[in-house]
Amino acid sequence: LYKTIILLAVFVGSLFYFSDDVKVETRQERLETVEMGEVTYPTITILLEDNIEVNRLHGYSNNVDSRMSRDAITPLNEEQSFKVCISENEYEIKRVDYELLSIYDDNIIETDNIKALEQDELKEHKLAKIKFKTPLENGQEYYMHITLVTNKSKKINYYTRVKKIDESYYKEKLDYVKDFNRAPFNKDES
């Protein structure tokens, strides 16, 4: 009984003694809203079958570790192809380079460049069709590094992942998402 009382007294005494040594720091944070400037680098989107636009990508001036890019995945069809739609903004794009890399060991599976860029119908964007020659495994993800080269030899880098999916039903899934997104704004359809 005495040991318990002494232990409790030492504990309470140490709480009072050490509480004076604990410094409490208070910080006031200011929240500021900073307006971003206009986009100057080209942006690209991926065009799938029937000109379905997915994955708007923004460019980087430096190389980035492609393993960090987890925000976009591009589904590939049986032909293993898609189009890159380029909004040039303040740049003139002359060439599109791309690399397909293994997700496991970063080995380059395929690399190529496209110099013959098409114009879309409205002549607002340039288009580059990418078709992989190497057969890809169904259901397997790969890294993709796309580089736009300007008329002044500036390189702008984009990163995404690609995945070959047979029967992905992405058209139906995208239609569902679009309908779900529109429903709150249209009371007649909801």
Side-chain angles (χ1 to χ4, degrees):
L1 181 68
Y2 290 116
K3 289 181 182 180
T4 307
I5 293 173
I6 292 173
L7 185 62
L8 188 61
V10 169
F11 178 72
V12 171
S14 63
L15 280 178
F16 283 115
Y17 178 75
F18 289 114
S19 66
D20 292 336
D21 292 341
V22 175
K23 295 179 182 175
V24 178
E25 189 175 311
T26 58
R27 185 189 303 177
Q28 291 182 346
E29 292 186 31
R30 283 187 340 186
L31 296 177
E32 292 183 26
T33 303
V34 178
E35 190 171 323
M36 293 177 60
E38 291 295 318
V39 175
T40 56
Y41 272 1
T43 57
I44 65 174
T45 53
I46 307 299
L47 289 178
L48 302 175
E49 295 172 22
D50 299 331
N51 288 331
I52 296 174
E53 229 178 273
V54 296
N55 298 346
R56 178 175 302 261
L57 303 174
H58 296 273
Y60 297 92
S61 58
N62 297 327
N63 283 328
V64 176
D65 185 2
S66 58
R67 290 175 291 204
M68 305 306 265
S69 174
R70 303 235 6 121
D71 57 342
I73 188 162
T74 302
L76 294 176
N77 57 15
E78 296 82 30
E79 296 177 5
Q80 301 184 158
S81 66
F82 59 88
K83 287 186 180 180
V84 176
C85 179
I86 305 164
S87 300
E88 293 183 296
N89 295 333
E90 297 178 6
Y91 292 88
E92 184 180 343
I93 304 304
K94 292 294 184 185
R95 186 178 83 220
V96 176
D97 299 337
Y98 69 88
E99 288 181 335
L100 185 68
L101 300 109
S102 169
I103 203 163
Y104 297 113
D105 53 11
D106 287 340
N107 283 339
I108 296 175
I109 296 170
E110 184 173 322
T111 184
D112 202 356
N113 63 48
I114 302 162
K115 295 179 183 170
L117 302 176
E118 307 168 22
Q119 288 280 345
D120 66 352
E121 297 86 29
L122 302 175
K123 302 209 183 279
E124 293 177 351
H125 303 94
K126 286 188 176 177
L127 301 171
K129 183 169 184 174
I130 295 177
K131 181 172 182 167
F132 299 117
K133 298 165 196 77
T134 307
L136 303 178
E137 289 183 43
N138 192 34
Q140 176 64 47
E141 283 187 26
Y142 300 89
Y143 298 127
M144 175 122 184
H145 175 196
I146 301 171
T147 304
L148 302 183
V149 181
T150 68
N151 59 339
K152 296 180 181 175
S153 298
K154 181 170 181 62
K155 293 184 177 183
I156 305 166
N157 302 292
Y158 301 83
Y159 301 90
T160 187
R161 291 179 177 225
V162 295
K163 186 175 186 178
K164 182 179 176 188
I165 306 172
D166 292 334
E167 299 179 21
S168 66
Y169 304 105
Y170 68 85
K171 292 178 192 175
E172 292 83 359
K173 292 174 184 176
L174 284 173
D175 289 340
Y176 172 76
V177 169
K178 287 178 184 177
D179 290 342
F180 188 82
N181 187 34
R182 272 186 244 137
F185 302 109
N186 191 348
K187 292 182 182 181
D188 297 333
E189 291 183 18
S190 53

